[in-house]
Amino acid sequence: MNGAEQAAAAARKQDIRSRWLLSAPALLIIFVAAVGPLFVMLLYSFMVKGDYGDVKLGEFSLEGWTSVFFQRDIFDDTLGLADAHLSIIWRSIQLSFFTTVLTVILGFPTAYFIATRPPHTREIWVFLVTIPFWTNLLIRTFAMQQVIRNEGLLNNALMWLGVIKSPLQIMYTDTANLLGMTYVYLPLMVLPLYASIEKLDFRLVEAGYDLYATRFQVLRRIVIPLVRPGIVAGSILVFIPSLGAYVIPRVLGGGKNMMLGNLIEMQFGSGRNWPLGAAMSITLMVLVTVALIFYVRNASRGGAGHV
Amino acid sequence: MTDTRTTAAHGGAIGLHGIKKWFGTFQAVDDVTLDIRPNEFFTLLGPSGCGKTTLLRMIAGFELPTEGQILLDGADISSLLPNQRPVNTVFQNYALFPHLSVAENIAFGLKMLGRPKAEIGTVVNDMLRLVHLEGRGDNPVTQLSGGQQQRVALARALAPRPKVLLLDEPLSALDLKLRKSMQMELKRLQLETGITFVFVTHDQEEALTMSDRIAVMSAGTVRQVGSPWDIYDRPAERFVADFIGETNFLEADVVSVSGSAARVRLSSGAEISASFPADAVPTGSVTIVVRPEHARAGAPTGMSVLRGAVHDIVYLGTDTHLHMHLDDGTTFTVRQQNARSGHCGFSKGDTVGIDFSDGVAQILRD
């Protein structure tokens, strides 16, 4: 190695070092803000719970983790499955899944409608879709409550039309949760769907009709496969916050129809079981990650031929 | 290929009767009446915006005519949806389904028609062979070259054996060499399948090469319909003469008319015979056209039809163009084939005599 090469290598090293130094503040913030709290959660999940909340630092226990899925019988001290927790986790997954399905069913025609408007009116429609974001989630949830409560808009309208005689009990049921989440998360489905339908080459739709496809066949065999990336992106955006939803089940679902988010909050609040809460949070994160991996795999497989 | 031959000669006849199409206040097609014969290679030729693509889209069913009737083998198909018409389209940008393989693209139409799997497999293989893409069936269409995509688009449109194949400027995206070979290819496919082809193009050379008949369109109307020979040698009006190839326009006076030919007197005083459109018997002063290759330049003699001075000589390899100013000031071009190598024998400023055979001149309708 001659002198010039050595100098060049040294300069390169210097360059790399200064790049690291320059990005250090950003990396530090990311580490402290994102990885730090996660690490604290992980640590707390392995501690003994404190008597009035908090944890006894330094006293290790697996109690927090085992009580996510199992519970000790108060009489004979044997371990059994924690039915309450599992049913809440299962309900969360189910409700999130159906929310995703409902938002696709409602969001697809909406996005298709917007994407097929003339270019200058599309922007207005997209703008209208984003209007709910201007309002706080809590307010929107209470608005939903006004619609579905016993003396609410929906029941009054149905009774006035004579469809029902006594009000439907929607509040404090899973249906209330489902309606609330569908309403709140619908824009998150419409926007990515719109983005991918807008890019759709409508000459392909014409080609489909030309080759004897019916409307439904064009939708199933041409449009849906081609906008699949949008469906996947929208599903991720809806499914993940649904799984961790807290405000909506709290307001609309009441105490009986808790979701995972409420269960976790309870452990940190009245439950005074921080290790359990921490373990549940990490469980939720794992669920979300698994769902993400599943979706992304699915997307890359289906979208391989799509340009 | 035998099976495609046995099913040959099943092309449909298209009748367009008084077709008008308005887009808002813009009239794209103005009262077009055309009869396209079974098994013919019919071309709609015209500059962009002349309504040729709109006409094609109406035959396909993507647009409905504002007025008029579209007949297929005598039956009115004007109000049928595109998927109800036994007509397929080759789109300008091919419009291949990017999420499907070559074979799946070709099979699409048959699948939608609910044909049995075994039949679809056979037809797809036949089609792959027909367009020289054997063994490429499993390839994604996005990995094909432009020419190959073009072939897939053709195979996809031919697979359901339509009565009429509509082609919307399918060669415009290809480079010159590929375009030439695809022209031959299209003509071969049309002869082999016996399907009526309706081809839309703005390229006059493409139209002359492939067509059995051509309809020249301008501003939503059909200006002239005829064989390539008719259109080129016997243009009925200025637009057609000007749009197809190069041509010379001369002013002349009609001396006499007998049968299908007329005697006209040119500004030089020479009298020649010229043909005229059957529906327009010429009188008075008329415009005649003479193609540059039908004229000959030579030393001026008393027998020369026209006389002019060479003001530009353009060497084109196979030909030489002599641009001249005639004595009355009009410009005139003579195209000489370079039969021998070497100089054409003229130089700028030379006075030359121009001759052309009786009957090559054509009188235009006004």
Side-chain angles (χ1 to χ4, degrees):
Chain A
M1 198 185 269
N2 61 34
E5 274 177 18
Q6 271 174 355
R12 209 161 32 241
K13 252 187 208 166
Q14 178 68 41
D15 187 42
I16 290 167
R17 201 180 308 140
S18 59
R19 277 183 206 189
W20 271 108
L21 269 174
L22 281 171
S23 47
L27 289 175
L28 195 73
I29 288 171
I30 290 170
F31 188 80
V32 171
V35 183
L38 273 181
F39 185 72
V40 172
M41 291 295 269
L42 191 65
L43 202 67
Y44 273 30
S45 72
F46 286 107
M47 298 287 159
V48 172
K49 66 170 179 173
D51 295 329
Y52 308 102
D54 209 337
V55 292
K56 289 176 178 160
L57 274 177
E59 286 183 46
F60 286 91
S61 159
L62 289 175
E63 189 69 27
W65 278 99
T66 50
S67 27
V68 174
F69 303 105
F70 304 102
Q71 61 189 3
R72 227 169 262 286
D73 194 290
I74 356 173
F75 299 109
D76 55 13
D77 223 30
T78 52
L79 274 181
L81 278 177
D83 297 336
H85 294 175
L86 291 181
S87 72
I88 289 172
I89 293 174
W90 180 233
R91 173 189 296 128
S92 299
I93 294 173
Q94 270 184 312
L95 280 177
S96 306
F97 175 76
F98 287 122
T99 302
T100 312
V101 171
L102 269 178
T103 49
V104 171
I105 292 171
L106 294 173
F108 192 89
T110 313
Y112 197 92
F113 172 83
I114 299 173
T116 49
R117 292 311 97 192
H120 54 282
T121 48
R122 279 182 219 166
E123 285 163 30
I124 299 169
W125 287 106
V126 171
F127 173 76
L128 288 175
V129 167
T130 59
I131 282 183
F133 287 130
W134 302 359
T135 317
N136 183 285
L137 172 63
L138 195 60
I139 311 277
R140 275 185 285 155
T141 311
F142 275 115
M144 195 64 192
Q145 190 183 41
Q146 292 308 306
V147 174
I148 61 176
R149 74 195 170 94
N150 286 7
E151 298 82 27
L153 267 177
L154 184 68
N155 273 315
N156 279 349
L158 287 177
M159 281 167 74
W160 184 76
L161 286 169
V163 181
I164 49 169
K165 291 213 163 60
S166 56
L168 292 172
Q169 178 62 45
I170 303 173
M171 280 300 290
Y172 314 122
T173 62
D174 279 344
T175 314
N177 277 339
L178 194 60
L179 286 175
M181 291 201 295
T182 304
Y183 161 61
V184 167
Y185 297 129
L186 189 57
L188 297 180
M189 178 61 81
V190 173
L191 295 177
L193 268 180
Y194 162 71
S196 69
I197 296 175
E198 197 212 6
K199 273 185 275 170
L200 180 70
D201 184 351
F202 281 91
R203 287 172 295 198
L204 297 178
V205 173
E206 269 186 1
Y209 285 130
D210 189 59
L211 292 161
Y212 313 108
T214 59
R215 272 163 182 272
F216 178 72
Q217 284 169 324
V218 166
L219 182 70
R220 193 167 86 87
R221 304 214 174 250
I222 298 164
V223 178
I224 288 180
L226 290 175
V227 302
R228 196 195 185 106
I231 298 175
V232 170
S235 300
I236 289 171
L237 287 180
V238 170
F239 187 78
I240 289 171
S242 298
L243 209 52
Y246 166 71
V247 171
I248 299 161
R250 179 79 190 252
V251 174
L252 300 178
K256 281 192 297 181
N257 295 284
M258 258 190 227
M259 285 181 64
L260 206 39
N262 309 95
L263 189 61
I264 291 168
E265 187 265 349
M266 211 170 83
Q267 306 314 320
F268 286 99
S270 56
R272 290 186 196 160
N273 195 343
W274 288 24
L276 177 58
M280 280 176 171
S281 302
I282 292 165
T283 308
L284 174 60
M285 226 178 72
V286 170
L287 276 178
V288 166
T289 313
V290 168
L292 256 179
I293 290 169
F294 170 75
Y295 274 135
V296 169
R297 279 233 180 117
N298 203 358
S300 58
R301 207 188 309 133
H306 182 57
V307 189
Chain B
M1 223 57 64
T2 43
D3 57 332
T4 51
R5 283 234 176 82
T6 51
T7 57
H10 282 93
I14 292 276
L16 303 172
H17 293 304
I19 301 289
K20 292 182 186 173
K21 177 68 184 177
W22 292 82
F23 291 108
T25 55
F26 171 71
Q27 186 166 20
V29 174
D30 184 9
D31 203 5
V32 167
T33 296
L34 272 179
D35 276 303
I36 301 170
R37 299 167 190 154
N39 311 336
E40 93 175 318
F41 196 122
F42 192 89
T43 298
L44 297 169
L45 174 67
S48 57
C50 72
K52 57 192 192 298
T53 294
T54 308
L55 207 54
L56 196 78
R57 289 174 59 80
M58 286 193 283
I59 300 175
F62 301 133
E63 308 283 354
L64 294 178
T66 316
E67 261 179 59
Q69 261 191 327
I70 301 170
L71 306 179
L72 176 63
D73 289 336
D76 190 351
I77 58 165
S78 313
S79 56
L80 293 185
L81 293 171
N83 54 17
Q84 296 167 326
R85 301 185 186 198
V87 162
N88 289 129
T89 309
V90 177
F91 293 87
Q92 187 170 10
N93 65 332
Y94 318 142
L96 297 177
F97 304 125
H99 57 298
L100 301 180
S101 71
V102 170
E104 286 168 329
N105 261 282
I106 298 173
F108 193 89
L110 294 165
K111 215 167 155 185
M112 294 302 113
L113 287 171
R115 295 287 163 76
K117 263 208 167 83
E119 187 199 324
I120 296 178
T122 320
V123 174
V124 168
N125 281 330
D126 283 352
M127 285 299 145
L128 285 171
R129 210 175 319 120
L130 193 65
V131 298
H132 306 308
L133 283 170
E134 296 102 322
R136 307 300 292 269
D138 294 329
N139 288 31
V141 288
T142 45
Q143 281 175 17
L144 300 179
S145 69
Q148 288 170 332
Q149 291 193 7
Q150 172 69 81
R151 288 161 198 275
V152 178
L154 269 167
R156 184 181 70 173
L158 285 170
R161 297 268 158 76
K163 292 200 163 164
V164 179
L165 187 76
L166 308 173
L167 303 106
D168 185 8
E169 306 216 15
L171 307 181
S172 60
L174 303 178
D175 61 57
L176 185 68
K177 216 167 177 181
L178 208 48
R179 198 153 65 214
K180 296 265 183 207
S181 72
M182 278 310 289
Q183 286 174 8
M184 311 300 288
E185 193 76 17
L186 277 177
K187 190 68 197 168
R188 174 183 71 85
L189 284 173
Q190 194 259 331
L191 290 172
E192 271 180 24
T193 57
I195 291 171
T196 309
F197 276 33
V198 182
F199 187 88
V200 158
T201 185
H202 62 265
D203 184 331
Q204 40 123 344
E205 193 203 308
E206 219 166 78
L208 294 174
T209 316
M210 293 187 284
S211 317
D212 294 321
R213 284 195 308 151
I214 299 171
V216 183
M217 291 187 67
S218 158
T221 56
V222 172
R223 308 310 312 173
Q224 190 175 354
V225 184
S227 67
W229 179 86
D230 276 333
I231 298 285
Y232 188 80
D233 279 352
R234 300 279 170 252
E237 53 187 85
R238 185 175 275 269
F239 174 81
V240 177
D242 209 19
F243 189 72
I244 316 270
E246 280 178 81
T247 198
N248 296 302
F249 295 97
L250 297 170
E251 297 306 318
D253 291 305
V254 177
V255 179
S256 64
V257 178
S258 65
S260 63
R263 296 294 294 177
V264 294
R265 188 185 297 113
L266 300 176
S267 60
S268 62
E271 268 186 33
I272 58 163
S273 89
S275 38
F276 55 86
D279 57 342
V281 178
T283 51
S285 73
V286 292
T287 305
I288 66 165
V289 288
V290 178
R291 294 287 181 190
E293 66 273 23
H294 291 158
R296 291 178 307 275
T301 65
M303 302 293 287
S304 296
V305 177
L306 296 164
R307 232 164 59 106
V310 177
H311 86 99
D312 209 358
I313 299 170
V314 181
Y315 177 71
L316 291 168
T318 55
D319 305 293
T320 301
H321 285 191
L322 300 168
H323 296 285
M324 281 168 283
H325 287 303
L326 300 183
D327 291 346
D328 67 349
T330 53
T331 57
F332 196 93
T333 303
V334 174
R335 180 173 182 168
Q336 283 193 325
Q337 211 178 4
N338 294 329
R340 290 156 295 158
S341 63
H343 195 257
C344 65
F346 297 101
S347 47
K348 273 188 203 180
D350 282 358
T351 301
V352 289
I354 300 163
D355 274 306
F356 38 83
S357 324
D358 255 13
V360 298
Q362 165 81 1
I363 300 169
L364 297 181
R365 185 196 297 142
D366 290 314

